[in-house]
Amino acid sequence: MFDKQEFVTSVYQLSDLPKENLPEIVLCGRSNVGKSSFINSIFNRKSLAKISSTPGKTRSINYYRIDEKIFVVDLPGYGYAKTSLKERAYWSHLIDEFFSASKNVSLALHFIDSRHKPTDLDFQLNEMLRRLEVPYLIILNKIDKLKQSELSAAKKNITEYFPEASYGDNLLHYSSVKKTGKKQIMQRFSSLFYKP
Ligand SMILES: Nc1nc2c(ncn2[C@@H]2O[C@H](COP(=O)(O)OP(=O)(O)OP(=O)(O)O)[C@@H](O)[C@H]2O)c(=O)[nH]1
Ligand SMILES: [Mg+2]
């Protein structure tokens, strides 16, 4: 299960999305939150996904194929450092169009840095996922950076920001460095794609 991973393509325009119809796990969230690192960490690969040295510069939608039956889609991150109005508009448009056009999204993973408050673009993304009825999982990420007490506070805070989020249900945590929370996330993937 989840043993074979291949990079498929980088797409810059929605008209170039792969024609192959596979169910998709779509990674979204702020730039630098750890989306690409998650791909490498969860699948035990060193450099399947490219970790950009200049966060926020990646504009492509990157497709990876898992076990020849699932696409993992790495969307460009939003809001690194100072976000220009133009960049915000570009991002909103791209993400909205992506989710509106795509018929194959099985699960969106919305990454939030466990050390920081969600931004207005995080709220915008959450609203859009709910409006389009896309199944989503919020991942409180980089939890290796937190002490136990800080993690407890972060878990509590996130359910205040996103009242629909419920721990263990549509809210989980992760650390790409320590792989904390990997089991729960992999169980979620298995139940979606490897139903007994
Ligand atoms: N401590 C810690 N660092 C992490 C973790 N995940 C990612 N990082 C670091 O955070 C930085 C950004 O990680 P990326 O995976 O490139 O983030 P991204 O969300 O793909 O960023 P964009 O491509 O700009 O959208 C890198 O320096 C990673 O090494 C984590 O779980 N813990
Ligand atoms: Mg990335």
Side-chain angles (χ1 to χ4, degrees):
M1 256 194 294
F2 309 112
D3 301 323
K4 185 176 178 188
Q5 314 91 14
E6 344 157 54
F7 170 73
V8 180
T9 185
S10 287
V11 174
Y12 290 85
Q13 299 177 44
L14 293 170
S15 52
D16 294 335
L17 294 180
K19 301 283 174 281
E20 203 178 347
N21 274 309
L22 293 180
E24 296 171 357
I25 301 173
V26 181
L27 279 60
C28 37
R30 281 185 86 174
S31 181
N32 212 40
V33 71
K35 299 176 295 298
S36 304
S37 305
F38 173 86
I39 295 175
N40 291 334
S41 170
I42 205 100
F43 296 118
N44 299 317
R45 292 283 299 264
K46 275 209 171 68
S47 51
L48 178 65
K50 282 164 218 67
I51 316 291
S52 61
S53 52
T54 47
K57 293 284 183 228
T58 307
R59 282 287 184 266
S60 56
I61 301 176
N62 297 318
Y63 278 77
Y64 303 86
R65 196 189 296 107
I66 312 295
D67 290 355
E68 290 169 8
K69 62 182 280 180
I70 308 157
F71 276 143
V72 167
V73 185
D74 194 4
L75 289 184
Y78 48 83
Y80 185 73
K82 54 179 191 304
T83 308
S84 67
L85 274 178
K86 203 172 150 201
E87 194 207 339
R88 285 174 68 117
Y90 169 85
W91 180 85
S92 301
H93 180 74
L94 179 85
I95 306 294
D96 211 291
E97 291 280 293
F98 175 87
F99 281 109
S100 303
S102 182
K103 309 217 171 346
N104 300 322
V105 181
S106 294
L107 185 66
L109 303 183
H110 178 179
F111 286 81
I112 309 256
D113 191 320
S114 56
R115 298 167 298 172
H116 305 303
K117 280 186 187 168
T119 66
D120 52 352
L121 288 172
D122 285 314
F123 291 114
Q124 194 180 313
L125 172 63
N126 179 266
E127 271 163 30
M128 189 204 60
L129 294 174
R130 288 190 289 117
R131 173 167 46 85
L132 297 174
E133 299 182 348
V134 176
Y136 68 89
L137 179 57
I138 294 175
I139 300 199
L140 211 49
N141 203 31
K142 301 196 184 183
I143 62 151
D144 57 285
K145 299 262 195 184
L146 300 185
K147 297 187 196 119
Q148 200 55 47
S149 58
E150 292 170 328
L151 178 59
S152 304
K155 284 180 178 177
K156 187 170 162 287
N157 288 341
I158 200 82
T159 52
E160 283 169 15
Y161 293 124
F162 299 109
E164 299 76 18
S166 151
Y167 229 85
D169 177 18
N170 60 346
L171 172 62
L172 293 173
H173 59 227
Y174 194 66
S175 159
S176 285
V177 176
K178 297 198 170 161
K179 306 201 180 191
T180 326
K182 178 168 177 172
K183 195 173 153 205
Q184 287 79 359
I185 293 171
M186 286 313 245
Q187 271 171 356
R188 193 61 55 90
F189 291 175
S190 314
S191 65
L192 267 178
F193 302 108
Y194 289 91
K195 293 192 185 88

